[in-house]
Amino acid sequence: MASDSVHPLEVSTDDLRYLIAVARAGRMVSAATLLGVDHTTVRRRIDRLEAALGVRLLDRGADGWELTAIGREVATRAAGLENIVENVVGATSGGADEVRGTVRIVAPDGFGATFVTAALAAVQAEHPAITVELVTSTRPLSLRGAGFDLAITIGSAATSRLASEPLAAYALRLYASPDYVARRPPIRSVADLDSHPLVFYVDALLTVRELDLAPVLGGMRVGFGSTSVFAQLEATRRGAGVGLLHAFMAEHDAGLVAVLPDEVSFRLEFALSVRKEAADVEAVQLVRAALHREVARRCSELLPLE
């Protein structure tokens, strides 16, 4: 706990802005890049804030400086300062009623490109003073850092630091190119799949538990593996094997045909998580609502044939 002798006027709101940047970026060096200063400046400002509050806000971690529990709590409570600054800027620039702010969202690459981009573009069209940043990744979300406001994951991101909710169900199905189907042994049952190479994720790098579907596919081996769903899609088009692909990317692709659609279909879930310190930010709320509208409008793409 902070000392009872701390007076509010002794705490610099500008130093709090540096703490918020560390909370957003996850590391001091990354925060320095966001702020456009040297990392030693960030360290100096945090030191001054710790001295004013009488608590330790950062601890040395395996990959650099990390926020302590009280540091995260302070950052959460101070997050509203960003909104105040944005409103002040808006008032002086003649746009007092505009919603402002920067919203960064992390999402899987395929879903990010095809669904999240559409939702963010809609937000931008209606609220041009909002800056949106989309970071796509096929790796599991790292929850140690704080370099995002919203995150879309496969399955729920279970942590007390995030508020998670279901976003959309989607299907994975088998597809192949017409040429591949014509020149390879026929596939009439799941057992026939054993003689065909699978196009999917790299086994050694597959750490998303929900995507560990190999046991269900029996004897199929990954003949073409990639961390990118776009590479998987292109490899399947070019006849590298039978691809286990997102239905929303492959179902209406003229270069692909469905393989055993009645026998092989996996239903997975995307979850939407928001950092607690960003949950009440108006720009974040607008992006969250736009994401839900986009998946509701296009649910037939995510789960075709249902």
Side-chain angles (χ1 to χ4, degrees), residues 58-306:
L58 292 179
D59 272 337
R60 173 75 74 175
D63 298 319
W65 290 94
E66 303 175 5
L67 289 175
T68 62
I70 189 63
R72 290 193 296 270
E73 178 68 17
V74 172
T76 297
R77 292 172 180 254
L81 287 173
E82 290 185 303
N83 286 339
I84 294 172
V85 172
E86 293 288 352
N87 289 334
V88 169
V89 171
T92 58
S93 62
D97 295 331
E98 286 187 301
V99 181
R100 297 174 176 273
T102 298
V103 180
R104 177 177 292 180
I105 181 168
V106 178
D109 59 347
F111 185 76
T114 54
F115 280 81
V116 178
T117 296
L120 295 182
V123 171
Q124 269 261 290
E126 188 173 353
H127 303 280
I130 294 178
T131 298
V132 292
E133 298 176 347
L134 172 60
V135 179
T136 58
S137 174
T138 55
R139 295 296 185 88
L141 176 66
S142 172
L143 301 177
R144 180 190 62 79
F148 59 86
D149 300 296
L150 293 157
I152 296 172
T153 56
I154 301 170
S156 178
T159 169
S160 61
R161 295 173 60 185
L162 296 175
S164 185
E165 63 191 14
L167 178 60
Y170 72 100
L172 285 176
R173 294 196 173 102
L174 294 174
Y175 299 89
S177 70
D179 179 66
Y180 179 92
V181 171
R183 62 184 172 83
R184 296 297 297 264
I187 305 174
R188 299 190 181 95
S189 68
V190 174
D192 293 332
L193 291 170
D194 292 359
S195 60
H196 294 266
L198 178 67
V199 178
F200 198 45
Y201 289 96
V202 180
D203 277 343
L205 300 178
L206 186 56
T207 53
V208 179
R209 177 179 53 82
E210 288 83 356
L211 290 175
D212 187 12
L213 303 172
V216 186
L217 294 174
M220 290 193 81
R221 65 172 184 83
V222 176
F224 184 102
S226 176
T227 57
S228 167
V229 295
F230 292 103
Q232 295 170 21
L233 184 68
E234 185 62 20
T236 306
R237 287 194 192 115
R238 293 182 177 273
V242 178
L244 184 57
L245 307 173
H246 295 74
F248 63 79
M249 298 177 68
E251 188 69 20
H252 300 293
D253 191 309
L256 298 172
V257 295
V259 174
L260 300 179
D262 296 328
E263 290 86 352
V264 181
S265 182
F266 300 100
R267 181 180 173 130
L268 301 179
E269 301 276 342
F270 285 124
L272 177 63
S273 300
V274 59
R275 297 201 66 82
K276 289 186 175 180
E277 58 265 33
D280 294 329
V281 176
E282 188 173 4
V284 173
Q285 292 174 343
L286 288 170
V287 170
R288 173 182 170 272
L291 289 167
H292 279 285
R293 285 195 302 271
E294 189 66 23
V295 298
R297 183 176 68 85
R298 300 168 60 187
C299 60
S300 62
E301 296 177 46
L302 291 158
L303 292 171
L305 307 181
E306 287 198 4

Side-chain angles (χ1 to χ4, degrees), residues 19-77:
L19 182 69
I20 293 170
V22 175
R24 175 181 288 272
R27 297 182 61 191
M28 192 185 302
V29 173
S30 302
T33 300
L34 285 177
L35 293 165
V37 299
D38 186 85
H39 74 278
T40 58
T41 300
V42 179
R43 176 71 263 187
R44 186 172 64 253
R45 293 297 195 97
I46 299 298
D47 285 345
R48 190 167 70 180
L49 184 60
E50 288 180 334
L53 293 173
V55 295
R56 180 176 291 279
L57 302 172
L58 292 179
D59 272 337
R60 173 75 74 175
D63 298 319
W65 290 94
E66 303 175 5
L67 289 175
T68 62
I70 189 63
R72 290 193 296 270
E73 178 68 17
V74 172
T76 297
R77 292 172 180 254

